[in-house]
Each structure stands twice: as structure tokens, then as C-alpha cells.
Amino acid sequence: MTTRRTRPAPRPPEGTPPRAELARQARAVLADAVRIAHWAAGAPGPGTAAPLAAHALERAATALELSPAQVRAGWDRARLAGLIELHGDTARPGWRLRAWDRDDSAVLRGWVALFDAWSLVHAAPADIEAGAVAEAVEAVPQVLSLLQLSAGPVTVPALLDLLGQRVAELQEERCEVPLGPGRSAPAAPADTPADRADTPADRADTVAERADTVAGRSGTTAGPARSADLNALLLDWALEGLAAVGALTLGKGHATLTPLGNWAVWVKLEQICVAAQSPAGNIEQSAADMLLGCARLTPGPARDEYRAWLAARTVGSAVAELLAVARGQDALLRGLAFEALRVVGAPAEPEVRAVLAEPSLRPYALLWLAEYEGNDPDDAQDVLSREEATWLWVDTAAAVADHGETGLLVRHLDSAVQGTVPALLDEVRAVGHPRTVQVLVALAAAHPDPALAKAVRRAAFQVHTGGA
């Protein structure tokens, strides 16, 4: 069991607008996407997949007084931001759309989902090899870190230098000789990722040190493993893609993070360093806030907190509130809600059994009922069909992508029932989870194997475009 050290909740950099203002800016970025999502929710047969069917595209353009290109772009953004969910051949309003006008957190999470998928929003140049594109995507977080730490405009040469260095590092790290019979693994170089940043704080320090170094070395050449011209083309593409989602603005020879982009990069740098918050006072909180307060507790203290919260409410109202949270967008809260329902026990059984007809809750309810009926928790997974297990795998991956560390997302691959990545990707594409694209984008960005990351990114693109 790990003992966590606590620290005060981090504060955003000085000058960061309040969340309400950030949400207002996110709403502005996604205004067309929201209009199209509302139109799709109210229009008969808006389309079976992205891009919109031709007849639906024409109807939307006429109704919304937008060009077909604007409708197509807005539709893609609506899907990537979770405003629209595709269930088979039917487009339905996502939970975020229903909460859009009243819930700033839902708005910001929707925008962050779009920000994470910037490489899908703005297609890469067609004549560039896919491996080079994948390396650029993997190097972009370093570019964003430099922009965030600089707290102002950064020249394109400085960004190009950092991109070239990071790409060269990635290529060096992956230049491994396959092991054969009788061969042992080579000793790791002194500056491998495993040695370079052993803790979240170390990783954040490493980003800062590299960014500070590059900020003073904008005149150096890019990594020798790839031409400067190609790196420059890929940097232009990345900057344009990030600008397209509202993360930065482009000037003559420089780029600057927007307040939204600055906040998002800061959140991602801080996320892995945020310590568990005290559960004190959770008894007075809503179910969602209570579950968030317990998210980083170990199982024993979390169950104690659930019991205290439940004791202050009637069973019926507590179960109803927990199930309402479970129906929401946040996959982490969905799983935690059913953990709290395990503490309720027998009084929750009728309500849990009643949600078996809801696809998003069915896998959790089946596992809850299996354990309630006496099955060993390790064997409870046997009650799930292959499709249900795959749906649950994607939902859990969504929780990790939203709240966990990238290493956890990579390790989550090992829990898939399929046994091989190609089989997993085939079944993930077919299962129809509304977060599939975001999960695959996050997994591709996190995985160190370039070939596997490329396959996962291709699967994300196929799901996004409705391809096979």
C-alpha cells in the first residue's frame, strides 16, 4: 500500500482567468458545434456516421445558415467534444450537450477532449509518412510545455528546435535491436525515460529544465535524424491544428497560448502531481463531489467515507443519487458510484437490477449483482459477455484518460480480454462506446511503441470518420 504525501491544491498560474471565464471562451470555440449538435438532436435522421450524409449536410447548412464545410467541421468537433454520441446508426445528444448551459466543468472537459484530439481536427499533410506524423504528435506536449512556461509569445525557431530535439530523442529511445536466442538486453543508457523522471515531480522538473534550455538555444539545428524542412512542415501543421481548437494564436513568426490553452497545459502538468484531498466534510456534499473527494483514497478509508455519507441520507434517496451520477459523462464517477452501492448492499439490489437495461450501466450492474450473490470478485468478470467486457474496458480507459497517469493507460491494455491489440481494436471499434475516439487518441499518445501507437491512431481515425 502506498502512503501518499499531501500538499495544498495547486493554483493556476497568475493571470489565469476564473473557470467561468474559461468556460465562456470554450463555449465560444465550440459555438458552431453546439448549434449543430442541437440541430442533430432535434432533426429526424441527422446521419448515420461522420461525416454527415449528403442530404443531412444540406439540411443542416440551410437550417443553420452555415456553409457545408462549416457544418462538416462543426459536426466533427461536436463528436470529439462529446456533444454528440453515435449509437449504431443513431446520433443522440451527449450528456455534455444537456449540461452545456449550466455546467462549466462539463464545458471545460468537452473542450479538453477536443484539445486532446487536435490531430484529428486538422488533418496532417497527405504526403508525409505516417510514422513522422506520429512522432510529431508525440513531441507536441514538449512544445506546449515550452509555450506554457514562457508565459508569452515564443518564436517559431525556438519551437522548431525543441520539436527537432524531442523527435531525435524519441528515435534514439526506440532504436533497439530485437532480441534473439542467446542474446541479452543491452544496458539502458543513462538518460532513458525510466532513469530520467522516476516521480511525477521529477517528470515535471524535467519538462521545465528542457524548456528552459531550449528557450535560450533557438538558433541550434534540429535533430539530425530528420530534415529540418520536414520538421518545419510538421510544426506548422501542429501549430495550425492547435490554433484550430483554440489552444493558441499564431502571429508573424511566433505562437502564444490562449488562456484556455495555457490553463489546459498547466492542468496536464499538475495532474500527476496533485495529492489526495482530505475527505473531511464529504458527508455534506452531493454524491458526485463526495465520490470525487474519495477518488484517491485507498479502499478501506473510501468505504468508511461512503458509510458516513449514506448514514446521513435515506437509502432510497442515496441510491437514486448515486445512480444518477453513474449515468453521467464521467466514467471514473460511474465506477465509484457502484463501489459506494456495494456498501449499501441488499437495499440497493432492486434499483441495481432495474438498470440492467441501460447499456452504459449494465456491465457495472452485472458485476455488482454477481458479487452480491456471492461470486468471488476475481471470477465476477465471467458474467460479462465479450461485448460487455469490451465496453467496460473502454469505459475504464476513459476514466484513466480523464483522471489517471499515462502509464496507467498503457498498462490498462493488459486487462483486455482479447489478448492481442489487433483483436482489441477490432472489437473496440465495433462496441460503439461514445468515448472510443478519445480513448484511442489518448492511448496512441501515451504508448511508447511507435508501431502500436500508429495502429491505435489509425483505429481512432477510422472510428472518427465512420470507416471500417
Side-chain angles (χ1 to χ4, degrees), residues 98-248:
R98 296 190 291 271
W100 197 254
D101 293 330
R102 59 178 170 77
D103 190 336
D104 289 347
S105 293
V107 172
L108 290 173
R109 286 192 181 185
W111 181 83
V112 169
L114 181 71
F115 168 68
D116 286 340
W118 66 266
S119 60
L120 294 179
V121 172
H122 186 63
D127 56 348
I128 297 181
E129 196 269 330
V133 172
E135 288 173 344
V137 171
E138 193 167 351
V140 159
Q142 294 284 352
V143 173
L144 290 168
S145 296
L146 174 56
L147 285 162
Q148 196 270 339
L149 290 167
S150 298
V154 179
T155 64
V156 169
L159 298 173
L160 182 59
D161 182 55
L162 179 56
L163 180 74
Q165 287 188 45
R166 182 58 184 144
V167 167
E169 287 179 359
L170 293 170
Q171 292 172 339
E172 182 179 354
E173 290 167 5
R174 292 166 179 170
C175 186
E176 300 174 352
V177 178
L179 298 180
R183 299 189 62 173
S184 59
D191 195 33
T192 60
D195 296 325
R196 192 163 56 230
D198 291 332
T199 68
D202 291 337
R203 288 196 290 274
D205 290 344
T206 301
V207 170
E209 290 165 4
R210 181 182 286 110
D212 289 341
T213 301
V214 172
R217 293 181 52 201
S218 60
T220 60
T221 59
R226 200 163 70 195
S227 74
D229 288 343
L230 179 57
N231 281 337
L233 184 60
L234 287 166
L235 178 64
D236 287 345
W237 165 66
L239 294 179
E240 289 168 2
L242 291 163
V245 299
L248 55 79

Side-chain angles (χ1 to χ4, degrees), residues 216-281:
R217 293 181 52 201
S218 60
T220 60
T221 59
R226 200 163 70 195
S227 74
D229 288 343
L230 179 57
N231 281 337
L233 184 60
L234 287 166
L235 178 64
D236 287 345
W237 165 66
L239 294 179
E240 289 168 2
L242 291 163
V245 299
L248 55 79
T249 57
L250 298 176
K252 189 174 182 179
H254 62 81
T256 309
L257 285 177
T258 64
L260 267 177
N262 186 68
W263 168 80
V265 176
W266 171 80
V267 167
K268 289 181 179 295
L269 288 173
E270 285 290 332
Q271 192 174 42
I272 59 176
C273 301
V274 175
Q277 299 300 305
S278 168

Side-chain angles (χ1 to χ4, degrees), residues 128-435:
I128 297 181
E129 196 269 330
V133 172
E135 288 173 344
V137 171
E138 193 167 351
V140 159
Q142 294 284 352
V143 173
L144 290 168
S145 296
L146 174 56
L147 285 162
Q148 196 270 339
L149 290 167
S150 298
V154 179
T155 64
V156 169
L159 298 173
L160 182 59
D161 182 55
L162 179 56
L163 180 74
Q165 287 188 45
R166 182 58 184 144
V167 167
E169 287 179 359
L170 293 170
Q171 292 172 339
E172 182 179 354
E173 290 167 5
R174 292 166 179 170
C175 186
E176 300 174 352
V177 178
L179 298 180
R183 299 189 62 173
S184 59
D191 195 33
T192 60
D195 296 325
R196 192 163 56 230
D198 291 332
T199 68
D202 291 337
R203 288 196 290 274
D205 290 344
T206 301
V207 170
E209 290 165 4
R210 181 182 286 110
D212 289 341
T213 301
V214 172
R217 293 181 52 201
S218 60
T220 60
T221 59
R226 200 163 70 195
S227 74
D229 288 343
L230 179 57
N231 281 337
L233 184 60
L234 287 166
L235 178 64
D236 287 345
W237 165 66
L239 294 179
E240 289 168 2
L242 291 163
V245 299
L248 55 79
T249 57
L250 298 176
K252 189 174 182 179
H254 62 81
T256 309
L257 285 177
T258 64
L260 267 177
N262 186 68
W263 168 80
V265 176
W266 171 80
V267 167
K268 289 181 179 295
L269 288 173
E270 285 290 332
Q271 192 174 42
I272 59 176
C273 301
V274 175
Q277 299 300 305
S278 168
N282 282 337
I283 191 172
E284 302 295 334
Q285 302 299 320
S286 67
D289 290 340
M290 180 274 293
L291 293 171
L292 282 175
C294 298
R296 290 182 177 271
L297 297 178
T298 52
R303 284 192 293 271
D304 291 340
E305 195 68 11
Y306 300 153
R307 291 188 184 97
W309 185 86
L310 290 164
R313 289 155 181 82
T314 64
V315 172
S317 65
V319 171
E321 192 174 350
L322 289 169
L323 287 175
V325 171
R327 292 185 179 97
Q329 180 74 16
D330 195 321
L332 175 66
L333 295 187
R334 186 159 29 254
L336 291 175
F338 276 86
E339 289 298 323
L341 288 169
R342 285 178 171 83
V343 174
V344 178
E349 189 260 346
E351 286 77 12
V352 171
R353 197 171 296 279
V355 303
L356 287 173
E358 300 181 36
S360 64
L361 302 187
R362 180 176 174 80
Y364 293 96
L366 286 171
L367 292 176
W368 190 97
L369 290 167
E371 293 181 31
Y372 170 71
E373 292 167 358
N375 289 288
D376 189 294
D378 292 335
D379 299 328
Q381 292 280 343
D382 295 342
V383 303
L384 301 182
S385 69
R386 182 102 163 186
E387 183 178 2
E388 289 161 351
T390 302
W391 196 100
L392 183 61
W393 185 93
V394 178
D395 207 47
T396 305
V400 175
D402 286 346
H403 299 278
E405 298 180 17
T406 55
L408 292 176
L409 189 59
V410 174
R411 292 195 293 275
H412 184 54
L413 274 174
D414 295 336
S415 67
V417 298
Q418 286 75 12
T420 68
V421 171
L424 171 65
L425 294 179
D426 285 342
E427 295 187 34
V428 163
R429 284 197 296 262
V431 79
H433 193 291
R435 293 291 304 280

